[in-house]
Amino acid sequence: MKNTNGKDSQALKIIASVFILAIICMSSAASAANLHVDPEAEEGYTTIQAAVDAANAGDTIFVSPGNYVENLKIDKQVRIWSDSRNPGNTIVKPADPAESPVEITGDRVTFSGFGVGDSEKAGILLTGAKNCFINNNRVQNSEYGILLQQGAEGNNINGNIVTLNEVGIRIEGSKSNTIQDNLVAYNYGPGVSLEESTRNIFYNNYFKNAENVEDNAINADNSWQSTLTVKSNLIKGPYIGGNFWADLEGTGYSETCVDENSNGICDKSYEVAGGGSDKSPLFPKVPNAVKALESKLDAEAYELGMETRGVQGEDIETPAGEVTGEDEPAAEGETEASEENKAPAPGIGFTVFAAGAAYFLKRRK
């Protein structure tokens, strides 16, 4: 009988602990607030930074369409979404172009649905930030499109268009980040550049740059594909696996590889510059899907940018034919995000600026 009473007491303690934990979680969820930013509102927040400063950890900030000239400093766990989920009508440009328009130092930040650019630094900068979700943004006209540095770890860079930057995505001293479902194309330098960064994974991305990955031995310490999974990829093939490797002449690996078994995966691996390999490079099984992706990009703006740098633009191969209006690539992958974080990613450009020394006349470290 004594033993039975002891077990009953232990069970009651466990039930009480679970009940208390549930109350705490419910209280936390209930205390999270929604803040709204509208530059034309008579009351409330007219700048994104004002809303960030006023927010508590766990709050969500909804931003009305408009042009926001700010250097955002995001240092707490908040979710920032454009109301429209359209990067073409909710634009963040820097008040000080020498700094990034969006700098994230807080953990578990969501930033989704914005057009960002015109920076001499990075369009979106993550410094030491962990477990952030950067989704459905169009990032262009900056030194670096997206830059992760100083121990940025466990972040998901998902479903973005990164174009017309000197370097598309740069990762410095950071590890275990997931780069998936992005269009990294028509950047003037490398699409991807890594330094002292390991265990990052790149998959289901569309790469189309003169140099897709900067030649560096550190590339061998990162992964260039996920586990082969039966699921539609960004070019509408039947498998999530590696990446689509194109180039400006239409002779990229994915554009010229062989797929004898017609499974949408190239029969042979793609050797990444500097080391490492993509063991499941994507094959254009559905050609119209590639055309749909290209419709979100601007090859003419790239050529104009090359001319302003004093470099004659390449004859760029753009798939011919009408776009069939296929769906956007899904903003999801092996690292699953909640449905509320996902957003459609329509691509609408903003103007190219002519600035800086010629990329091809300078050496990066």
Side-chain angles (χ1 to χ4, degrees):
M1 182 64 123
K2 185 176 181 180
N3 186 44
T4 302
N5 289 337
K7 289 182 179 179
D8 289 345
S9 176
Q10 185 177 7
L12 287 172
K13 289 179 180 179
I14 292 173
I15 292 171
S17 298
V18 171
F19 182 70
I20 292 170
L21 181 60
I23 291 175
I24 292 172
C25 291
M26 291 172 64
S27 298
S28 177
S31 66
N34 293 334
L35 289 72
H36 296 269
V37 178
D38 186 343
E40 298 182 0
E42 295 182 1
E43 298 180 358
Y45 305 103
T46 58
T47 68
I48 304 172
Q49 187 66 61
V52 171
D53 293 343
N56 295 313
D59 288 353
T60 300
I61 299 170
F62 295 97
V63 181
S64 296
N67 293 320
Y68 297 86
V69 182
E70 308 185 47
N71 292 95
L72 296 178
K73 308 291 185 183
I74 306 169
D75 60 356
K76 63 187 71 170
Q77 179 186 341
V78 291
R79 295 182 294 184
I80 306 176
W81 292 338
S82 67
D83 271 338
S84 67
R85 307 295 195 268
N86 183 351
N89 65 20
T90 313
I91 310 296
V92 181
K93 295 186 178 182
D96 179 2
E99 298 296 330
S100 297
V102 179
E103 181 176 357
I104 299 171
T105 56
D107 297 341
R108 301 185 181 279
V109 171
T110 295
F111 188 81
S112 178
F114 294 87
V116 180
D118 292 358
S119 172
E120 296 167 14
K121 197 171 183 181
I124 298 177
L125 171 63
L126 285 78
T127 301
K130 295 178 173 58
N131 302 311
C132 295
F133 189 77
I134 309 302
N135 162 258
N136 182 29
N137 303 290
R138 186 177 185 110
V139 191
Q140 62 186 54
N141 298 343
S142 297
E143 181 71 12
Y144 305 103
I146 299 175
L147 172 60
L148 290 78
Q149 65 178 16
Q150 297 178 21
E153 183 176 342
N155 301 291
N156 191 287
I157 311 300
N158 180 311
N160 304 283
I161 297 176
V162 184
T163 186
L164 303 174
N165 303 286
E166 295 299 324
V167 176
I169 296 175
R170 169 82 169 171
I171 304 180
E172 299 176 350
S174 300
K175 63 182 181 180
S176 302
N177 298 287
T178 300
I179 317 298
Q180 66 181 93
D181 305 345
N182 303 284
L183 308 188
V184 184
Y186 299 116
N187 294 287
Y188 303 111
V192 173
S193 175
L194 293 138
E195 181 181 349
E196 297 182 356
S197 298
T198 61
R199 300 202 300 276
N200 299 287
I201 180 171
F202 298 79
Y203 70 93
N204 205 35
N205 300 290
Y206 181 87
F207 292 123
K208 187 173 183 177
N209 308 275
E211 182 184 14
N212 282 324
V213 181
E214 189 173 36
D215 192 347
N216 191 326
I218 195 69
N219 298 340
D221 297 324
N222 296 275
S223 298
W224 300 93
Q225 72 284 312
S226 69
T227 301
L228 201 62
T229 305
V230 179
K231 191 173 188 179
S232 180
N233 60 43
L234 86 170
I235 56 166
K236 306 305 179 187
Y239 290 98
I240 297 288
N243 304 280
F244 189 90
W245 302 94
D247 67 16
L248 302 180
E249 293 78 36
T251 58
Y253 188 78
S254 290
E255 297 167 299
T256 58
C257 71
V258 176
D259 177 23
E260 290 187 351
N261 62 1
S262 192
N263 67 348
I265 300 294
C266 298
D267 292 342
K268 295 183 179 180
S269 298
Y270 172 68
E271 300 304 317
V272 177
S277 65
D278 181 344
K279 297 178 176 59
S280 303
L282 304 182
F283 177 85
K285 184 176 174 67
V286 183
N288 283 340
V290 175
K291 296 175 188 177
L293 296 183
E294 283 288 326
S295 74
K296 301 174 177 64
L297 302 165
D298 193 340
E300 291 184 2
Y302 174 82
E303 289 181 319
L304 176 61
M306 293 297 287
E307 289 175 7
T308 65
R309 289 159 172 75
V311 179
Q312 184 64 40
E314 303 279 356
D315 291 333
I316 299 172
E317 289 285 337
T318 301
E322 295 184 1
V323 176
T324 59
E326 302 200 35
D327 294 337
E328 302 286 342
E332 60 183 352
E334 232 179 27
T335 305
E336 293 291 344
S338 65
E339 288 297 326
E340 63 180 355
N341 275 338
K342 296 174 187 174
I348 301 176
F350 41 92
T351 58
V352 176
F353 79 110
Y359 170 80
F360 295 101
L361 300 181
K362 66 181 182 180
R363 295 291 299 172
R364 301 186 182 282
K365 62 181 182 179

